[in-house]
């Protein structure tokens, strides 16, 4: 199984924020407002992108995916308060 580490950030119209978050949380861990992360297979990543693309307005919204082939390539440093967001999917 080919897994990759994904960081997803989104900036969408307020009307679509909850829909995008609901879709993204099916696949990734919500770590901060408009930011999610986690390991996905290629097929799950394609499903995530497909679902998101059906909801966003291409002319108005923006969704970014940062893709790492291995989690070992990711170093995360945090400053300030750690948000206590449910990370279980």
């Amino acid at each position: 199984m080919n897994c990759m580490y994904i960081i997803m950030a989104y900036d969408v119209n307020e009307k679509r924020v909850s829909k995008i978050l609901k879709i993204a949380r099916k696949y990734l861990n919500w770590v901060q407002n408009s930011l999610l992360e986690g390991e996905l297979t290629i097929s799950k990543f394609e499903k995530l992108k497909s679902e998101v693309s059906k909801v966003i307005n291409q002319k108005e919204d923006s969704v970014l995916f940062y893709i790492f082939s291995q989690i070992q390539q990711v170093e995360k440093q945090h400053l300030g308060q750690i948000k206590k967001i449910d990370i279980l999917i």
Side-chain angles (χ1 to χ4, degrees):
M1 184 181 334
N2 287 336
C3 283
M4 52 191 154
Y5 192 78
I6 306 292
I7 297 173
M8 175 183 168
Y10 60 91
D11 183 5
V12 299
N13 185 290
E14 189 177 330
K15 296 180 281 187
R16 291 181 286 281
V17 168
S18 62
K19 289 180 184 178
I20 294 299
L21 179 58
K22 185 176 180 178
I23 291 167
R25 287 188 75 185
K26 291 191 311 189
Y27 300 93
L28 299 167
N29 299 317
W30 186 30
V31 293
Q32 204 165 29
N33 295 342
S34 304
L35 184 69
L36 298 98
E37 63 182 12
E39 282 189 276
L40 295 178
T41 62
I42 293 169
S43 64
K44 285 192 177 188
F45 180 50
E46 292 302 321
K47 287 179 186 178
L48 169 60
K49 290 192 303 182
S50 175
E51 287 184 46
V52 167
S53 69
K54 291 175 185 173
V55 173
I56 66 170
N57 178 328
Q58 296 285 338
K59 296 178 181 179
E60 195 175 305
D61 301 328
S62 176
V63 179
L64 297 173
F65 296 100
Y66 297 90
I67 304 162
F68 301 87
S69 59
Q70 298 176 10
I71 192 169
Q72 292 83 2
Q73 295 175 334
V74 179
E75 177 185 340
K76 182 169 38 172
Q77 297 183 0
H78 187 94
L79 298 174
Q81 181 181 9
I82 295 176
K83 294 196 175 216
K84 300 292 184 194
I85 297 174
D86 175 22
I87 60 170
L88 299 176
I89 296 177

